[in-house]
Amino acid sequence: MARKRKTDGRTPRRTLWFRTLIAIAACGAAAGGLAAYRTLSDDTATERPVTMEEASRLALSRLNLYQASPVAVALTATEGGGVVVRVRGVVDYRTHRAVGSYQVTGASGSSKSAGASGPAAGQLDHGLIVWDTGGLGLAPAPEGDNSPPWQQAERIPRSGWSARSYTTDPLDAGLKLLIELGADRPDNPLLLAQSGARWLERDRIDGRSYDRFAGPRAQGATPGAGSDGGRSPLTYWVDGDGGLRRVTMRMPGLGTPTTMEFSGRDGRAKLPEVPWATG
């Protein structure tokens, strides 16, 4: 991405819990073949540690995202004070680049810019967004252009993007996690199981069955401690083939978690080169 510029005193910050979380999620030892999917619980079952078959499906989910690239995604982040940011776009996990559109809304129809930290303004804010492992960039959406965001972004010159590094805000934390979820190999299922991944429940989304898993605990977390029982801030919805449908991330001090939805491969999408172009 283009060189990041610090804006309004928003300096890049990373909390220890988030760094630890990413480190655990990025474990990369290749797992063996995926065991056949089988039903081991019903609607009345209680939370429990994952089986090795379930851990194998969870471990495979990051590779499945990588192989499906570019993947259609949607992110919803609650920033506090009634402000909600919604992003819809595509992620290419082979290049770790993403592009989409964003909309910021607030209480009583108020809103603020996705690049600002002050109180909500009175007018709806929306535009284009690109992001990668290092930060994000924002640009106004071209008037009257109804083409997909990735096509709109290609027509905006590099100078038209306002770039910055990530902060610890819910939107930034969600975008950073979202870009890092895909991997070119499966995780180690044994490590996932040993690190506290748990089966929570079975849900149906759009008529399809998914197992809901709590991810591995952050390093140093004590099982059963705290209001969340020491559970990971991350929750995953995974189908019988290891396909990832949804991820939620609880943020400190916020009651509503950041939500990431995955809608499968978007074969039409072609990520623009302009925002990352040099020279």
Side-chain angles (χ1 to χ4, degrees):
M1 175 176 283
R3 184 176 58 194
K4 313 297 184 300
R5 299 193 298 272
K6 298 179 182 178
T7 59
D8 300 326
R10 294 165 60 97
T11 56
R13 307 183 300 277
R14 298 179 182 176
T15 58
L16 178 60
W17 71 269
F18 189 69
R19 292 200 305 267
T20 304
L21 192 62
I22 292 297
I24 291 175
C27 61
L34 176 66
Y37 177 55
R38 58 185 181 276
T39 300
L40 297 179
S41 57
D42 55 33
D43 293 339
T44 63
T46 58
E47 175 184 332
R48 55 168 173 74
V50 295
T51 65
M52 283 307 300
E53 184 274 332
E54 290 165 346
S56 294
R57 283 192 283 123
L58 183 58
L60 192 62
S61 62
R62 300 182 70 217
L63 175 63
N64 284 339
L65 277 182
Y66 178 90
Q67 293 179 333
S69 293
V71 178
V73 300
L75 180 148
T76 303
T78 300
E79 294 281 339
V83 175
V84 178
V85 185
R86 294 177 175 86
V87 175
R88 301 187 68 87
V90 290
V91 179
D92 187 341
Y93 287 104
R94 299 177 188 274
T95 62
H96 294 286
R97 293 177 176 178
V99 60
S101 60
Y102 74 88
Q103 177 175 289
V104 189
T105 59
S108 302
S110 63
S111 67
K112 69 174 183 178
S113 169
S117 58
Q123 186 177 1
L124 180 68
D125 183 53
H126 69 282
L128 300 177
I129 183 169
V130 293
W131 70 101
D132 56 21
T133 57
L136 61 94
L138 304 175
E143 293 293 337
D145 190 340
N146 295 321
S147 61
W150 49 271
Q151 289 184 347
Q152 296 181 40
E154 188 66 59
R155 293 190 281 271
I156 295 177
R158 184 170 178 266
S159 60
W161 294 93
S162 175
R164 62 172 174 81
S165 300
Y166 288 121
T167 71
T168 55
D169 287 350
L171 170 66
D172 291 23
L175 291 173
K176 189 174 188 301
L177 175 63
L178 185 57
I179 201 70
E180 294 180 353
L181 277 174
D184 61 359
R185 66 189 70 185
D187 291 327
N188 186 329
L190 181 60
L191 181 57
L192 289 178
Q194 291 176 342
S195 299
R198 297 182 67 81
W199 182 91
L200 302 178
E201 199 172 358
R202 179 156 298 125
D203 296 325
R204 292 189 70 80
I205 303 174
D206 296 333
R208 187 175 178 86
S209 182
Y210 295 87
D211 285 305
R212 180 165 21 122
F213 299 107
R217 292 187 300 269
Q219 186 175 2
T222 302
S227 59
D228 59 358
R231 184 187 296 169
S232 166
L234 295 183
T235 303
Y236 303 82
W237 280 255
V238 180
D239 68 16
D241 298 318
L244 190 61
R245 178 62 176 80
R246 176 184 295 163
V247 175
T248 61
M249 177 173 60
R250 297 193 313 277
M251 298 292 295
L254 291 177
T256 303
T258 297
T259 301
M260 288 147 271
E261 302 274 357
F262 303 88
S263 303
R265 177 177 173 82
D266 185 348
R268 305 170 306 154
K270 180 181 179 182
L271 270 70
E273 293 294 332
V274 172
W276 290 275
T278 59

